[in-house]
Amino acid sequence: MATFLYKLGRFAFRRRRFVALIWVALLAVAGVGAATAASPAADSFSIPGTEAQRAFDLLDQRYPGTNADGATARVVFRAPEGESMKDPANKAAVERTVHALQSGSSQVDRVADPYTAKALSKDGRTAYAQVSYKVTGFELSDASKEALEAAAKDGRDAGLRVETGGNALQAIPETGATEVIGIAISAVVLVITFGALIAAGLPLLTALIGVGIGVSTITALSSTLDLSSTTSTLATMIGLAVGIDYALFIVSRYRAEVAEGREREEAAGRAVGTAGSAVVFAGLTVVIALVGLTVVNIPMLTKMGLAAAGTVVIAVLIALTLIPALLGFAGARALPRKARKAGKPGRESKEDKASKAGVAGEARGRGAAAGDRPNMGTRWARFVLRRPIAVLLTAVIGLGAVAIPATSLELGLPDDGSQPTDTTQRKAYDLLSDGFGPGFNGPLMLVVDGRDAHAGQSVKSAAARVAKEVRGLDDVAVVTPPTFNKAGDTAMLNVVPKSKPSSVETEDLVHDIRSTADGIAQDTGAQTLVTGTTAMNVDVSQKLNDALVPYLALVVGLAFLLLMVVFRSVLVPLKAALGFLLSVVAALGAVVAVFQWGWLSSVFGVEQTGPIMSMMPIFMVGVVFGLAMDYEVFLVTRMREAFVHGERPGEAVVTGFRHGARVVTAAAVIMISVFAGFIGSSDSMIKRIGFGLAIAVFFDAFLVRMAVVPAVLALLGRSAWWLPRWLQKLLPNVDVEGEGLRTQLAGTGTADGPDAGAAREPARV
C-alpha cells in the first residue's frame, strides 16, 4: 500500500492542475445538484419491527385519508385570571382564530374546534385547537407558517394568551456563531503548529471543499433518499473534523521530509506513502464504525451513519490527492519561515546530507544526543515511562469518576418539553400540562385489530373490554371512547397517562397495557397494539439496548482485526479497544451531568434539562470509536515504525511521542473546537452530540492516548508487539511503516532523493 500511495502522491504533485480541476469540478456538480434539489425531508422516527411502528402502519391501512405523517399544530388558548374560555367574548375570539386557521392556507387539512371537540380544561381557563396539515413539517410553506402565527396573533389581540406547539413549527437547525468560532480556533492552532499561513490554510481549505462536496451531495439526494436536515449537519460536523486532521498529518509529514533534504515531489510522495497509509486505515476505522450503525435497523440512524461515512471517504481521498497537489502550488511558502530564509529548501548538499545521516545514526545508537533539547512530547513520554503505574491509575480513576453519572442515564425522544423555556412551543406544552395534566402531552394510542377475532367476538366488544381494563390500571387519567374505521374491523382509543411522557411511571404503563392486551387477545383473538410518541420512545430504547452488544461486537471486532493488520500485534489493538470504552463511558457521564442533571448548564447554554436522545449513546459509540482509533493509528504507528527499525520498546514510545505528540495534540484541539462549535445549535440533539463528541475526543486524546497508552506499553514492554507466528502468516503485510517503500527506493537509488547515493556513503572528514 505504501508504494501505491507514494506513486499516487507524486502523480498528484506533478499533475496538480489536473487533480485540482477534478475536485473543483466535483464541487461545482455537487453544488448545482444541491441548488436544484427539492426541500429536505422531515426527520423520521420509523422503527421497523417494533409494535409502535406496526400500529402506525396498521392505521395507514385501516384509516385511509387520515394522513398520519402530516404536520400538526396545537394552538393553546388561556383566558385571563378570573375569566373562562366559555365567556362569550373569549369564545368569539377563539372561533375567529379557528376560522382564520381553516382559511389561512390550502395546506390545512382540518381544524378541530375546541368547543366541538370538548377540548376545554376542567377549570375552564384553557382550550386548544388541533390543526392537521396535508404535508409534513418541512414541506410546509412559509405562507402556511405565517398564517399560523397570524391567527395566534389575532387571539392575543383579543386579550387571550395564545401559544403554539407541534411539529408544524419545526425548522432546519441553526448552529449559530459558535461553529464559526470553532473553525477560527482551528485556524489559529494550524498557524501555531505550522508557523506558515499557507501551510495552515491548506487543511482548512481542503476540509471545506470535502464538506462542501459531501453536504451538497446529501442535499441533492435528500428528497430521493429521504435524508433529513440533521443528516447533513452531522456529516458537516464529522467531515470538518476528520478533513482538517487528515490533511494536517499529510502536510506535517511533507514538511518533515523536506526538512531532511528531499526534493518536494519526492517529499510529497513519501508523505502520502507513510502518513497517507495511516490516514487510510484511520479513515477505515471511522467508516466501519459509522456503516456499522446499519445493524441497529433504525432508518434515521442508518442514513446518518452512511452519509457521515461518505463524507469521511471524501476527506481521505482529498488528503491523498488534493493535498499533494496544493503543496505543489504552494512551493516553498508551505514551509516554515526559517526554512525559507535558510535557502532553497529540499536541495541540501551531499556533505550536509551525509552529516545529517551520521548524526541520526549516532542518536539512534545512544538513544539521544547529550546536547539534544527534547520537546514536550519527549519529556512527557519519559515521565510516563518512569511512573507508568501512577499515570495509569490516575487516568483510569479520573475517567471512572467522570463516568459515574452515566449510571443514571435516562433516554427519551425530543418533544416540545425539551424546547427552551422562552419558545412558544415550550409555553404551549406547559399550558397543556397545567390545564389537562402532565400526561396530556404524551397520549398513548391503542389500535384494536379485530380481523382475526374468534367466532362470536366483535371488534366492538374487544375494544370495550380493552377500554374497561385499561381504565383500571395505575397512572391512567383518561381513556377516550373507541373510534371505528369504515370497515368496522378496527378500533382506535387514546389513553392519557397521569404522569409526564418521559417519566418512569408512563413507561411502566406502556408495559402494563401491553400485558393486559396480551390477555385479552388470548380470549378474543383481537390484537391490541400500543403506539404514540411515548410508546415509540419505549420501543426505540429497547431496540437500541438489544442492538448495542451486536453493534459493539461487529465494529470492535472488525476494527480489532484491522488494527492487528496495521500494528502486527494482539495486545495493542486490545488496549486500544479498552481505552475507547473508557473514553465513551466518561463522555456519556459528562453528557448526563450537563444535560440531564444541569451541572454547568448555563455555561453550555442548556436552557432545559431532561432525558438524553435515545439514539445518542449508540451514535456516540460509533463516532467516538472511529475517531479514537484515528489517534491510536497516528500515534502508535510512529512507535511501531521505531520498534521495527531496532529501537527498544521504551525508546520506541519516546520516538513516537517526539514525532507525533505535537501533531496529534494539534489535531485533537482542532477536532474538539469543531465539535464544540455545534454546541450553539438550536437543535437539542445536535447540541448534545456536539458536546458529547468534543468531550469524548478530549478524554480520548489527552487521557487515554497520551497517558494510558504509553503507560500500558511501558508495562508490557516487548510483549506489546507480540504476534503468534501462525497469525503472522495469515495477516497481510500492508506496510504502514513504509519499510517496503524504503527498501524499494534504496534499490532504485532514490531513498533520499537524487543525491541518495552520496547520503548513504560515509561522511568524509
Side-chain angles (χ1 to χ4, degrees):
M1 173 178 286
T3 302
F4 169 76
L5 293 178
Y6 165 80
K7 294 178 180 177
L8 178 64
R10 295 196 64 165
F11 172 83
F13 188 95
R14 285 196 311 270
R15 305 300 179 110
R16 46 188 172 271
R17 290 180 177 81
F18 173 71
V19 172
L21 182 62
I22 288 178
W23 283 110
V24 171
L26 288 175
L27 179 62
V29 170
V32 171
T36 57
S39 301
D43 292 346
S44 173
F45 283 96
S46 173
I47 315 294
T50 62
E51 179 175 320
Q53 187 61 51
R54 293 201 307 272
F56 274 128
D57 295 340
L58 187 63
L59 286 173
D60 288 338
Q61 296 173 8
R62 305 288 174 85
Y63 291 84
T66 56
N67 193 25
D69 295 331
T72 59
R74 277 180 173 175
V75 182
V76 186
F77 305 90
R78 179 76 168 175
E81 188 71 33
E83 297 183 17
S84 169
M85 293 304 303
K86 296 180 181 180
D87 293 345
N90 292 336
K91 184 176 181 180
V94 171
E95 290 176 344
R96 287 196 301 271
T97 302
V98 169
H99 177 73
L101 290 169
Q102 290 173 330
S103 59
S105 170
S106 60
Q107 292 181 320
V108 172
D109 186 17
R110 61 186 179 275
V111 180
D113 184 282
Y115 302 98
T116 304
K118 299 181 180 180
L120 274 73
S121 62
K122 290 183 179 180
D123 62 4
R125 289 192 60 201
T126 307
Y128 70 91
Q130 181 89 7
V131 185
S132 301
Y133 291 89
K134 302 174 184 177
V135 296
T136 62
F138 278 102
E139 294 171 326
L140 275 182
S141 64
D142 291 338
S144 296
K145 294 180 180 180
E146 290 171 0
L148 180 61
E149 294 173 357
K153 184 177 181 300
D154 291 342
R156 295 189 188 101
D157 293 340
L160 299 175
R161 181 182 176 186
V162 184
E163 305 294 347
T164 307
N167 59 14
L169 300 180
Q170 63 187 337
I172 296 176
E174 297 178 357
T175 55
T178 51
E179 180 185 351
V180 179
I181 294 174
I183 296 176
I185 293 174
S186 302
V188 172
V189 173
L190 288 169
V191 171
I192 294 174
T193 302
F194 288 134
L197 290 175
I198 296 296
L202 290 181
L204 283 175
L205 175 62
T206 54
L208 291 174
I209 291 175
V211 168
I213 294 174
V215 173
S216 296
T217 303
I218 291 171
T219 303
L221 299 175
S222 61
S223 179
T224 304
L225 302 181
D226 192 25
L227 303 177
S228 69
S229 59
T230 305
T231 303
S232 59
T233 304
L234 294 173
T236 301
M237 184 189 304
I238 296 172
L240 272 177
V242 300
I244 294 174
D245 277 8
Y246 294 166
L248 169 64
F249 287 110
I250 299 289
V251 174
S252 297
R253 192 60 181 253
Y254 167 80
R255 284 155 55 101
E257 296 290 339
V258 172
E260 292 181 7
R262 296 186 177 92
E263 294 287 350
R264 296 192 191 104
E265 182 180 328
E266 177 70 12
R270 283 176 169 270
V272 176
T274 52
S277 297
V279 165
V280 169
F281 281 98
L284 274 177
T285 59
V286 180
V287 169
I288 287 173
L290 292 171
V291 173
L293 292 170
T294 56
V295 303
V296 184
N297 195 27
I298 295 179
M300 178 183 178
L301 199 58
T302 297
K303 294 169 185 177
M304 287 163 55
L306 292 176
T311 308
V312 172
V313 171
I314 293 173
V316 171
L317 294 176
I318 282 182
L320 299 179
T321 57
L322 186 57
I323 281 292
L326 294 180
L327 288 171
F329 286 117
R333 290 171 295 179
L335 303 175
R337 186 176 301 176
K338 291 182 179 179
R340 297 198 299 269
K341 289 182 178 179
K344 192 172 183 181
R347 291 185 179 275
E348 293 180 303
S349 66
K350 298 179 181 179
E351 290 78 7
D352 288 340
K353 288 184 178 182
S355 177
K356 278 189 175 183
V359 171
E362 292 175 9
R364 283 193 298 269
R366 64 179 182 271
D372 281 351
R373 297 179 60 185
N375 59 20
M376 182 65 73
T378 301
R379 291 195 295 270
W380 171 250
R382 290 173 180 170
F383 172 81
V384 175
L385 290 176
R386 288 195 300 268
R387 301 173 180 83
I389 296 178
V391 171
L392 180 61
L393 289 178
T394 301
V396 172
I397 292 173
L399 288 171
V402 177
I404 290 176
T407 58
S408 301
L409 177 67
E410 296 179 6
L411 300 178
L413 291 177
D415 57 18
D416 286 346
S418 62
Q419 295 280 355
T421 54
D422 60 346
T423 61
T424 186
Q425 297 99 312
R426 175 59 188 279
K427 292 175 181 177
Y429 181 96
D430 291 340
L431 286 177
L432 289 172
S433 296
D434 294 340
F436 298 90
F440 191 80
N441 284 293
L444 303 173
M445 186 181 298
L446 276 57
V447 182
V448 182
D449 181 6
R451 283 194 176 180
D452 297 325
H454 297 160
Q457 298 287 340
S458 67
V459 69
K460 290 184 178 181
S461 61
R465 182 175 172 184
V466 168
K468 179 181 178 181
E469 295 197 19
V470 169
R471 284 192 187 97
L473 296 175
D474 294 337
D475 205 53
V476 173
V478 177
V479 178
T480 64
T483 301
F484 299 93
N485 66 338
K486 291 183 179 180
D489 56 8
T490 307
M492 181 173 61
L493 304 86
N494 287 322
V495 178
V496 178
K498 292 180 181 177
S499 303
K500 63 181 182 179
S502 58
S503 66
V504 176
E505 291 81 5
T506 302
E507 181 178 348
D508 291 339
L509 176 60
V510 172
H511 295 304
D512 291 343
I513 292 175
R514 286 175 173 169
S515 297
T516 301
D518 289 340
I520 296 174
Q522 292 178 359
D523 296 339
T524 66
Q527 300 291 326
T528 301
L529 304 176
V530 184
T531 188
T533 302
T534 303
M536 183 69 79
N537 180 28
V538 173
D539 290 347
V540 167
S541 299
Q542 186 62 50
K543 191 175 184 67
L544 290 171
N545 289 336
D546 294 341
L548 184 58
V549 173
Y551 173 70
L552 281 174
L554 173 67
V555 173
V556 176
L558 289 176
F560 183 85
L561 294 175
L562 186 65
L563 292 178
M564 273 206 304
V565 171
V566 174
F567 296 127
R568 315 294 294 179
S569 166
V570 173
L571 296 180
V572 170
L574 180 61
K575 173 262 308 169
L578 294 177
F580 147 74
L581 292 176
L582 277 174
S583 302
V584 75
V585 174
L588 284 174
V591 169
V592 170
V594 174
F595 292 93
Q596 188 174 305
W597 292 359
W599 293 4
L600 300 177
S601 57
S602 60
V603 175
F604 297 101
V606 181
E607 298 184 20
Q608 177 62 33
T609 59
I612 308 304
M613 175 74 174
S614 297
M615 297 182 188
M616 183 177 174
I618 199 165
F619 182 80
M620 274 189 60
V621 166
V623 175
V624 173
F625 181 79
L627 300 179
M629 295 307 103
D630 273 8
Y631 298 117
E632 181 76 15
V633 170
F634 289 127
L635 189 60
V636 182
T637 295
R638 277 285 194 171
M639 300 178 190
R640 169 72 183 173
E641 184 177 346
F643 179 76
V644 168
H645 291 163
E647 292 189 11
R648 294 191 300 272
E651 293 175 348
V653 172
V654 174
T655 299
F657 271 81
R658 180 168 61 248
H659 292 292
R662 177 183 174 88
V663 178
V664 168
T665 299
V669 172
I670 289 169
M671 193 170 285
I672 290 169
S673 63
V674 170
F675 287 148
F678 288 83
I679 296 176
S681 174
S682 60
D683 185 276
S684 59
M685 177 183 173
I686 293 175
K687 180 189 288 287
R688 285 167 167 78
I689 289 180
F691 173 84
L693 294 182
I695 199 71
V697 170
F698 172 79
F699 289 151
D700 193 84
F702 294 109
L703 293 180
V704 174
R705 307 304 152 190
M706 293 291 185
V708 174
V709 166
V712 171
L713 291 178
L715 294 173
L716 292 176
R718 189 171 294 273
S719 61
W721 307 106
W722 170 79
L723 187 70
R725 290 185 178 179
W726 63 270
L727 196 54
Q728 290 182 11
K729 297 178 181 179
L730 290 177
L731 295 178
N733 186 3
V734 295
D735 189 26
V736 176
E737 301 87 7
E739 187 64 23
L741 175 62
R742 289 185 180 86
T743 302
Q744 178 179 339
L745 295 180
T748 59
T750 58
D752 292 301
D755 298 320
R760 289 192 299 271
E761 295 177 359
R764 299 180 181 179
V765 182

